[in-house]
Amino acid sequence: MAGSWWMCCRRLNGGCTISGLTETLRCFSGQSAYSSASPPARSSWSSTPRTEMRPLFPAQIHSKALNLNPSLLRRRSSSLYRTLQSCGCRTSHSDAKLRDPFTLAQKDLTSLYDDIKKELFMAKTELKSLCNYYFDCRGKAIRPIIVILMARAMNIHSNRAGDLLPGQRTIAMISEMIHTASLVHDDVIDGSDERRGKKSINDVWGERKAILAGDFILSAATMALARIGNSAVVKVVSQVIEDLVRGEFMQLGSKENEDERFKHYLEKTYKKTASLMAHSCKAVSILVNSDPEAHEIAYQYGKNVGIAFQLVDDVLDFTSGAEQLGKPAAADLKLGLATGPVLFACQQFPELHAMIMRRFSSKGDVDQAWQFVLQSDGVQQTTYLAQRYCEEAIRHISRLRPSPERDALIRLTEIVLSREK
């Protein structure tokens, strides 16, 4: 996948050797976002010609994001001006409008949280209250929505009815359970006292009980996974747990080598956020289709949307207030984390390097780093990078047979980019 920033940075499938952020950016800028190192799909379901269209973001932001830094990017390929609307994926199943993902998934989501609570049934009242605390329908439910839409899109692509298979619906439920368990554990590790606009579990019940609640949610998810009875699905979803742990360990450390930081950041982002989306999408495709190419389409969509989702989340930490986010603003800086906006800002404010190494622990570091980010184009560059990942997600999902669900997954990338919380 030559156009993917993730592949440029991690080089998972080989290719050119990238020594640092500068060369990675140059590698990305010189490639088409729609080229592919793998063989083309056997059939293309898109009939719309690939023409130049208006940018997704306002012109002033788009142009500023393109100008990453004169010392970093001296070449601007024409592919940088291609956007969501130019990838040839706008062919709709029934009309020209992309379908609303929340409307299409609503039927399957209606009883999802009730079913999760049944999985977490426990005679002990206190543990039951802990486990049910975050399953209150106040979350974005973005993961089960993606899984549901991917499952139905894959079913249609595989010449079946679009309705969910029982195992696919279970995977949607499991994805939300794993995500919620990770939130419980993250709040303990970070010492957070707020989540989704209310007190965190560890703040209400204490750290020890919060850890046990997170463990219990994971165990219930594992039992539900085992009941699906498909060893390939079990293997794929189990990878998520390993990635979450490895990602958390990566977040606890810092890279002294400046050139390695961005690769470290993107890999951590994949493991902590995108892996769950990617592997859940792959799992529902396995249940209905034996073609590895179909599995890869599902995986790549989930991976790229997942990374974009986290990049936008990192931007919102600088651009949204605590009321919108449901958590304190500048939370990442206060935790000593250098996210995309900070790492991009380093190119204009080298003073940030020392702050990153001491994890913003000195007096005034958080406020100073905040100002540096806002004075730089770090927010715009991170936003633009998220857009590129969404374009890559669309490139993959467009290879599926047209359906309302496929179009809703395309629409979902726009929602990810434009969200404010």
Side-chain angles (χ1 to χ4, degrees), residues 180-205:
T180 302
S182 72
L183 296 183
V184 175
H185 287 156
D186 281 355
D187 286 344
V188 173
I189 293 170
D190 300 338
S192 301
D193 57 7
E194 190 175 352
R195 170 70 65 179
R196 293 176 178 171
K198 62 182 183 180
K199 289 185 176 181
S200 62
I201 287 181
N202 49 290
D203 190 62
V204 177
W205 283 280

Side-chain angles (χ1 to χ4, degrees), residues 99-247:
R99 304 298 294 271
D100 175 44
F102 301 98
T103 301
L104 281 178
Q106 188 58 45
K107 178 182 177 181
D108 296 303
L109 281 174
T110 301
S111 59
L112 182 77
Y113 287 101
D114 288 338
D115 289 343
I116 288 176
K117 290 177 181 179
K118 291 177 183 177
E119 292 288 337
L120 298 173
F121 177 78
M122 206 40 193
K124 187 172 176 58
T125 304
E126 187 177 30
L127 181 57
K128 181 179 180 181
S129 298
L130 263 79
C131 292
N132 290 343
Y133 189 67
Y134 285 154
F135 295 110
D136 55 3
C137 301
R138 296 180 66 176
K140 291 179 278 290
I142 191 73
R143 289 153 189 86
I145 287 174
I146 288 176
V147 174
I148 288 168
L149 293 176
M150 180 62 73
R152 292 172 66 176
M154 273 293 172
N155 292 349
I156 293 172
H157 180 73
S158 306
N159 297 313
R160 293 173 176 257
D163 293 338
L164 291 182
L165 301 176
Q168 291 174 325
R169 192 175 187 284
T170 299
I171 291 171
M173 182 176 67
I174 290 170
S175 70
E176 187 68 359
M177 294 173 73
I178 292 176
H179 170 60
T180 302
S182 72
L183 296 183
V184 175
H185 287 156
D186 281 355
D187 286 344
V188 173
I189 293 170
D190 300 338
S192 301
D193 57 7
E194 190 175 352
R195 170 70 65 179
R196 293 176 178 171
K198 62 182 183 180
K199 289 185 176 181
S200 62
I201 287 181
N202 49 290
D203 190 62
V204 177
W205 283 280
E207 291 185 354
R208 293 183 179 181
K209 291 181 178 179
I211 292 171
L212 292 173
D215 290 346
F216 185 75
I217 295 171
L218 279 178
S219 69
T222 302
M223 292 178 66
L225 177 62
R227 287 200 301 272
I228 294 176
N230 185 304
S231 59
V233 168
V234 171
K235 182 178 180 180
V236 166
V237 178
S238 297
Q239 181 64 46
V240 175
I241 308 298
E242 177 183 338
D243 286 343
L244 282 170
V245 175
R246 289 182 181 275

Side-chain angles (χ1 to χ4, degrees), residues 17 22 29 86 93 124 128 132 140 150 164 175 198 205 219 257 273 283 304 331 355 368 411 419:
T17 301
T22 299
S29 69
S86 66
H93 180 66
K124 187 172 176 58
K128 181 179 180 181
N132 290 343
K140 291 179 278 290
M150 180 62 73
L164 291 182
S175 70
K198 62 182 183 180
W205 283 280
S219 69
N257 187 333
T273 303
N304 283 284
M355 296 183 192
Q368 185 64 71
R411 169 63 180 147
R419 69 190 182 94

